Amino acid sequence: MSHITTSDGTDIYYKDWGTGQPIVFHHGWPLSSDDWDAQMMFFLLHGYRVIAHDRRGHGRSTQTSKGNDMDTYVADAAAVVEHLGLKNAVHIGHSTGGGEVARYVAKYGKAHGVAKAILVSAVPPLMLKTAANPGGTDMSVFDGFRKALAANRAQFYREVPIPFYGFNRPGVKTIEGVVDNWWRQGMIGGAVNHYEGIKAFSETDFTEDLKKIDVPTLVMAGDDDQIVPYKDASELSAKLIKGAELKIYPGYPHGMLTVHADVINPDLLAFIKK
């Protein structure tokens, strides 16, 4: 197993497979780098070097009681990139990981020679409903997440994957292995990290980060995303990122990278090859 230790003593686990142009994957809440298995295998077999880390408090990284905020998440990702000496890398983020990518590219993109960015079903610009963001999600929803997590995290993590993958839609069959894998990844992480991470993904405003992105960027989402409504997220992000390409998939859920990998992976490859 590969780890680096950050300046505050946190161990960050990462995977680094293959050779070629690097692609760095940033996972969603409350998951781990394992959530990228379908993409990492696909791109490895297409000749790319694939890298993914477990965010602090998630997966196999330290369950620290500090640093459960977006700036620290991004600093940890940058530490992995610096440790591996990655240049000309493509950064792909899903959900919370999309926010991580937006801030990472805005802050470190020039120094680290980022080639391209891809935001998939991502939380930017801002999830929370505010006076300036009337189309956002009400705070009561995130308070409900926190209450459910604190009361019975194991049960909560059985329930979330159902709308996450659209398994609650008529005619959509639940894939038990996918639900079990979501639960497994979530339960490996730390309860306090996941609890505090809700604030990080819901209340962080990425508007200025998006405006600073100056590399080719693809923004993707499904129009049946029940977790991060695409109209207040992907559509707005694409407008804020100069020259961004927007691709919306009819009927696809938040977890489309897993349940529709056969469609999404070739589209990712086509954009990277441009």
Side-chain angles (χ1 to χ4, degrees), residues 3-273:
H3 290 83
I4 64 160
T5 302
T6 66
S7 59
D8 71 354
T10 301
D11 285 341
I12 302 295
Y13 169 84
Y14 68 90
K15 304 175 185 180
D16 179 10
W17 306 337
T19 58
Q21 183 181 14
I23 302 176
V24 182
F25 298 90
H26 303 248
H27 67 79
W29 176 97
L31 305 173
S32 73
S33 56
D34 292 353
D35 202 45
W36 289 106
D37 282 355
Q39 285 69 46
M40 292 184 73
M41 288 300 300
F42 177 85
F43 282 101
L44 177 68
L45 296 173
H46 279 81
Y48 290 86
R49 180 182 179 184
V50 292
I51 302 97
H53 70 287
D54 291 354
R55 189 172 298 119
R56 65 171 55 208
H58 297 63
R60 290 138 291 202
S61 293
T62 302
Q63 293 185 19
T64 176
S65 61
K66 58 188 176 182
N68 300 304
D69 60 85
M70 193 56 62
D71 285 337
T72 307
Y73 294 163
V74 169
D76 291 345
V80 173
V81 170
E82 290 168 358
H83 174 74
L84 296 176
L86 304 179
K87 296 294 182 182
N88 194 38
V90 177
H91 285 260
I92 305 178
H94 176 246
S95 198
T96 300
E100 189 172 283
V101 168
R103 183 150 295 182
Y104 171 85
V105 175
K107 188 171 184 179
Y108 297 98
K110 286 185 172 65
H112 289 177
V114 172
K116 292 182 179 180
I118 303 174
L119 309 182
V120 185
S121 308
V123 298
L126 172 64
M127 278 200 77
L128 183 67
K129 182 178 181 179
T130 65
N133 184 40
T137 302
D138 195 83
M139 177 65 83
S140 63
V141 173
F142 304 116
D143 287 343
F145 288 174
R146 281 182 276 261
K147 182 179 180 180
L149 190 156
N152 190 334
R153 186 168 63 127
Q155 181 58 37
F156 183 49
Y157 287 0
R158 282 290 182 198
E159 295 167 359
V160 175
I162 304 304
F164 192 99
Y165 295 110
F167 293 149
N168 57 337
R169 295 310 197 200
V172 179
K173 182 179 179 181
T174 299
I175 305 172
E176 296 296 342
V178 168
V179 174
D180 290 348
N181 191 41
W182 202 101
W183 185 89
R184 176 191 67 83
Q185 290 180 72
M187 292 306 294
I188 290 173
V192 68
N193 307 99
H194 293 171
Y195 186 94
E196 295 182 359
I198 294 169
K199 179 180 178 67
F201 75 66
S202 65
E203 297 183 42
T204 303
D205 190 340
F206 299 96
T207 300
E208 296 305 314
D209 301 296
L210 296 170
K211 292 177 181 178
K212 293 176 183 176
I213 295 175
D214 60 358
V215 298
T217 303
L218 172 62
V219 181
M220 316 168 79
D223 73 0
D224 193 32
D225 191 324
Q226 300 173 68
I227 308 298
V228 181
Y230 77 100
K231 286 187 176 294
D232 195 63
S234 296
E235 286 191 351
L236 295 183
S237 293
K239 292 176 181 177
L240 290 165
I241 302 169
K242 185 178 180 181
E245 179 181 334
L246 175 66
K247 192 170 182 64
I248 303 297
Y249 294 82
Y252 281 19
H254 189 65
M256 63 183 188
L257 283 160
T258 298
V259 294
H260 295 293
D262 58 327
V263 174
I264 303 297
N265 287 351
D267 287 353
L268 294 171
L269 180 61
F271 176 74
I272 291 170
K273 281 187 168 183

